[in-house]
């Protein structure tokens, strides 16, 4: 909470006066924000205590709790308005455990606590209200981890009405108003100030910056009176970790389309176990022409006879070239880590193996190699593995030699194209690099496989996607 106060004070110092010129983006993307936790702190009303929920270290109170407390809740065009004071005397039990460990998503439509516009999160069907936003309705008091509400004795903000479209003077008198419009630009909050002069009963429509996400508007001064509590708490609207995660989630969804997870579809020829004839399944890998490992819609894996499926083809398509920044960002957002300073990622759709190296806290692309992964009937198994051990060459007993092998899962490995038994003459694979051609291993040129063999340590993470 101290961090939020400090952050918002800094934002106000950096604020600039500007004349807004166009309509803002005022709806949120429905993306994941974080996992719900039960906070150590509690909220106490007149009748009982409620555990506060926490997401990204910000406190939330479920809308159902406010409803039980007697607050008037209205929904107009999916925008929720919370307006009335507490009035009920009997409160039913609330179980925070129902939400613990679940993923909270940003709600597409905002909520209003009196005149304060606020974002909200959703978990299942429950709306989570930022606890600080309720400071627009009551004085929030605290003592040793316990919070409670007290009625505001004087609230001059009741003289105006703020909604999605504008601001209205509810009195017959002239009102000079200072506003701060809060935006999110993808990296930080921006606070833009505006001076407004409203005649009695006059309404002014909002006009905003269309290139940024509109969060809220605060009135910092009205009729010459300072409303300084706004700058101290920002009603929870300037919580940077929440909005950084918001932007990360949007970016992750975008990059997931650039880097689709490789899938091969197959159709059952006849019923096996839980599968019926003609069921569509996902092929994971083959086992030496004896059986296939397939996956059902829920992700559970099964072994089926080798002749029980018919391979349909790939689900997805290569989406063109990508730059280093996209590769590095997708690894970060996918939260792929490694026990060493290196990480290998094989992009099956593009038939590329990316070598990333840790620099400080970030992964940086060091190499991008053309490769060949398994054919559809012998696919390279997707997943996260690690380099288990290395072999200078394999296959001599079978009449060929593959050099510089890095084994990452059972008998799946990175290695060179095929040479003759002496290792001098190329036998096959050179002109197939860039297409799926192997029996499941990841083939590279002799030069590139030697580089991996020389530089990549055991325990390095291998990500096949």
């Amino acid at each position: 909470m101290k961090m939020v106060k400090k952050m918002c004070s800094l934002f106000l110092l950096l604020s600039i006066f500007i004349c807004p010129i166009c309509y803002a983006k005022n709806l949120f993307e429905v993306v994941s924000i974080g996992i719900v936790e039960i906070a150590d702190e509690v909220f106490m009303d007149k009748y009982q205590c409620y555990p506060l929920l926490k997401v990204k270290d910000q406190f939330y109170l479920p809308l159902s709790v406010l409803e039980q407390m007697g607050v008037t809740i209205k929904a107009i065009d999916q925008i929720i308005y919370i307006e009335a004071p507490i009035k009920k005397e009997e409160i039913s039990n609330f179980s925070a455990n129902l939400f613990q460990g679940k993923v909270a998503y940003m709600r597409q439509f905002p909520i209003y606590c009196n005149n304060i516009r606020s974002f909200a999160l959703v978990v299942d069907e429950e709306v989570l209200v930022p606890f600080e936003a309720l400071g627009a309705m009551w004085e929030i008091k605290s003592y040793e981890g316990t919070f409670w509400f007290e009625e505001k004795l004087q609230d001059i903000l009741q003289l105006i009405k703020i909604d999605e479209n504008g601001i209205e003077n509810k009195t017959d008198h002239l009102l000079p108003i200072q506003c701060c419009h809060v935006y999110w630009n993808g990296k930080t909050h921006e606070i833009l100030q505006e001076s407004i002069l409203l005649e009695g009963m006059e309404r002014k429509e909002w006009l905003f910056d269309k290139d940024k996400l509109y969060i809220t508007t605060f009135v910092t001064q009205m009729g010459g009176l300072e409303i300084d509590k706004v700058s101290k708490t920002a009603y929870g609207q300037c919580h940077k970790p929440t909005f950084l995660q918001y932007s990360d989630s949007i970016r992750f969804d975008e990059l997931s389309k650039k880097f689709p997870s490789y899938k091969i579809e197959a159709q059952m020829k006849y019923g096996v176990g839980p599968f019926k004839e003609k069921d569509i399944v996902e092929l994971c890998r083959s086992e030496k022409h004896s059986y296939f490992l397939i996956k059902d819609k829920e992700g559970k894996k099964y072994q089926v006879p080798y002749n029980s499926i018919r391979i349909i083809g790939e689900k997805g398509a290569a989406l063109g070239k990508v730059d280093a920044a996209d590769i590095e960002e997708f690894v970060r957002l996918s939260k792929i880590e490694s026990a060493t300073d290196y990480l290998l990622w094989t992009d099956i759709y593009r038939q590329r193996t990316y070598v990333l190296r840790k620099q400080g806290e970030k992964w940086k692309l060091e190499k991008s190699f053309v490769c060949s992964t398994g054919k559809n009937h012998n696919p390279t198994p997707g997943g996260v593995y690690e380099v288990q051990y290395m072999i200078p060459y394999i296959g001599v007993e079978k009449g060929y030699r593959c050099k510089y092998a890095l084994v990452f899962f059972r008998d799946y490995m990175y290695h060179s194209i095929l040479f003759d038994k002496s290792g001098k003459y190329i036998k096959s694979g050179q002109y197939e690099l860039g297409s799926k051609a192997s029996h499941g291993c990841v083939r590279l040129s002799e030069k590139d496989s030697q580089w991996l063999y020389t530089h990549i340590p055991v325990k390095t993470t291998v990500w096949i996607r």
Side-chain angles (χ1 to χ4, degrees):
M1 212 171 277
K2 291 181 180 177
M3 181 181 72
V4 174
K5 294 179 182 179
K6 183 178 180 182
M7 190 181 306
C8 290
S9 296
L10 177 62
F11 291 148
L12 284 172
L13 289 173
L14 297 175
S15 299
I16 59 172
F17 286 88
I18 188 168
C19 178
I21 55 173
C22 45
Y23 289 104
K25 294 183 289 185
N26 62 349
L27 295 183
F28 300 95
E29 298 283 344
V30 181
V31 293
S32 62
I33 299 299
I35 302 299
V36 178
E37 304 174 60
I38 299 177
D40 294 330
E41 295 80 358
V42 298
F43 165 68
M44 180 180 69
D45 74 353
K46 189 176 179 180
Y47 308 101
Q48 70 180 74
C49 283
Y50 299 93
L52 286 170
L53 301 179
K54 188 165 64 172
V55 181
K56 289 288 179 184
D57 290 324
Q58 184 168 24
F59 295 138
Y60 292 86
L61 197 62
L63 190 64
S64 61
V65 170
L66 293 169
E67 192 171 22
Q68 290 177 43
M69 291 165 56
V71 172
T72 298
I73 298 170
K74 300 177 182 178
I76 303 174
D77 295 329
Q78 301 191 63
I79 297 173
I80 294 173
Y81 296 88
I82 308 171
E83 297 176 339
I86 300 170
K87 61 186 179 183
K88 276 192 178 178
E89 297 185 2
E90 294 183 3
I91 309 295
S92 61
N93 291 327
F94 164 71
S95 176
N97 292 326
L98 294 174
F99 305 102
Q100 186 174 22
K102 292 188 175 182
V103 178
Y105 294 86
M106 184 67 77
R107 187 175 190 268
Q108 183 179 17
F109 295 88
I111 63 172
Y112 277 82
C113 297
N114 280 347
N115 279 314
I116 295 300
R117 185 187 199 265
S118 173
F119 70 91
L121 305 185
V122 289
V123 181
D124 297 334
E125 299 299 319
E126 181 65 80
V127 176
L128 304 186
V129 181
F131 188 69
E132 285 184 284
L134 299 170
M137 303 172 64
W138 302 285
E139 296 283 354
I140 299 178
K141 303 291 184 178
S142 66
Y143 178 73
E144 294 186 349
T146 300
F147 296 87
W148 66 92
F149 296 150
E150 291 186 4
E151 186 177 352
K152 288 187 176 183
L153 298 178
Q154 290 183 336
D155 187 4
I156 63 172
L157 291 176
Q158 298 303 313
L159 302 178
I160 60 171
K161 175 66 177 177
I162 294 176
D163 57 31
E164 285 291 275
N165 300 312
I167 182 169
E168 180 181 344
N169 181 358
K170 294 166 65 177
T171 77
D172 294 327
H173 308 288
L174 185 69
L175 277 182
I177 296 170
Q178 290 284 340
C179 289
C180 284
H181 304 298
V182 182
Y183 299 90
W184 176 252
N185 65 15
K187 296 181 179 179
T188 190
H189 290 88
E190 294 182 10
I191 300 181
L192 308 179
Q193 298 180 1
E194 183 180 12
S195 298
I196 301 171
L197 187 62
L198 289 176
E199 300 284 348
M201 308 305 289
E202 184 185 3
R203 177 180 176 83
K204 177 183 168 100
E205 299 299 305
W206 292 136
L207 290 171
F208 293 121
D209 186 338
K210 72 174 181 179
D211 296 322
K212 303 180 183 74
L213 178 68
Y214 171 55
I215 305 296
T216 193
T217 294
F218 301 131
V219 174
T220 57
Q221 195 179 100
M222 189 164 66
L225 296 176
E226 297 284 342
I227 308 174
D228 55 4
K229 192 167 283 190
V230 168
S231 63
K232 293 177 182 177
T233 69
Y235 297 117
Q237 302 308 298
C238 290
H239 191 249
K240 195 169 184 178
T242 294
F243 283 92
L244 282 174
Q245 181 59 52
Y246 175 80
S247 293
D248 277 354
S249 293
I250 293 173
R251 180 67 172 146
F252 179 75
D253 289 347
E254 292 172 351
L255 289 174
S256 293
K257 295 174 182 176
K258 284 190 176 183
F259 300 104
S261 181
Y262 184 74
K263 293 182 180 180
I264 301 172
E265 286 189 338
Q267 186 178 55
M268 300 301 301
K269 293 181 180 178
Y270 53 85
V272 178
F275 302 103
K276 299 177 181 178
E277 183 182 355
K278 296 186 178 181
D279 277 356
I280 303 299
V281 297
E282 181 183 339
L283 174 60
C284 300
R285 68 174 189 268
S286 65
E287 290 296 332
K288 303 185 185 303
H289 298 281
S290 59
Y291 66 86
F292 281 112
L293 193 69
I294 63 173
K295 190 186 297 184
D296 66 12
K297 293 180 180 179
E298 283 70 45
K300 190 174 180 180
K301 295 178 180 178
Y302 298 86
Q303 290 183 10
V304 296
Y306 195 78
N307 65 349
S308 66
I309 66 171
R310 177 178 64 84
I311 295 173
I312 298 173
E314 305 161 14
K315 186 177 182 181
L319 297 174
K321 294 182 179 180
V322 288
D323 57 30
D326 286 343
I327 294 168
E328 294 162 358
E329 187 78 345
F330 192 54
V331 169
R332 178 185 74 83
L333 295 174
S334 299
K335 296 180 172 54
I336 304 297
E337 294 296 339
S338 179
T340 75
D341 287 338
Y342 284 95
L343 186 152
L344 301 179
W345 168 19
T346 295
D347 180 352
I348 296 181
Y349 275 122
R350 291 181 177 81
Q351 293 293 289
R352 294 291 186 276
T353 290
Y354 311 124
V355 181
L356 295 102
R357 190 172 186 178
K358 204 67 172 284
Q359 292 185 10
E361 296 300 315
K362 296 182 178 180
W363 288 110
K364 291 293 182 181
L365 182 67
E366 186 157 320
K367 299 283 185 180
S368 178
F369 298 141
V370 179
C371 63
S372 286
T373 61
K375 298 176 182 178
N376 281 356
H377 61 276
N378 285 302
T380 304
V384 179
Y385 312 96
E386 65 177 30
V387 176
Q388 298 174 356
Y389 58 91
M390 302 182 187
I391 311 171
Y393 58 86
I394 61 168
V396 174
E397 71 283 0
K398 297 179 181 179
Y400 59 86
R401 180 178 297 217
C402 293
K403 304 177 183 180
Y404 312 118
L406 283 70
V407 179
F408 60 84
F409 173 63
R410 298 174 68 171
D411 55 353
Y412 293 92
M413 61 193 82
Y414 291 95
H415 60 65
S416 74
I417 55 178
L418 279 64
F419 290 80
D420 65 7
K421 290 173 66 174
S422 71
K424 293 181 180 180
Y425 301 103
I426 295 173
K427 192 170 182 178
S428 70
Q430 181 177 14
Y431 301 108
E432 295 173 310
L433 289 174
S435 62
K436 295 185 290 296
S438 79
H439 295 94
C441 291
V442 182
R443 294 180 187 172
L444 301 157
S445 70
E446 182 182 19
K447 178 182 176 182
D448 294 343
S449 61
Q450 184 179 26
W451 191 97
L452 289 187
Y453 191 83
T454 304
H455 292 85
I456 300 301
V458 170
K459 299 290 185 182
T460 293
T461 291
V462 173
W463 187 26
I464 308 293
R465 180 181 172 86

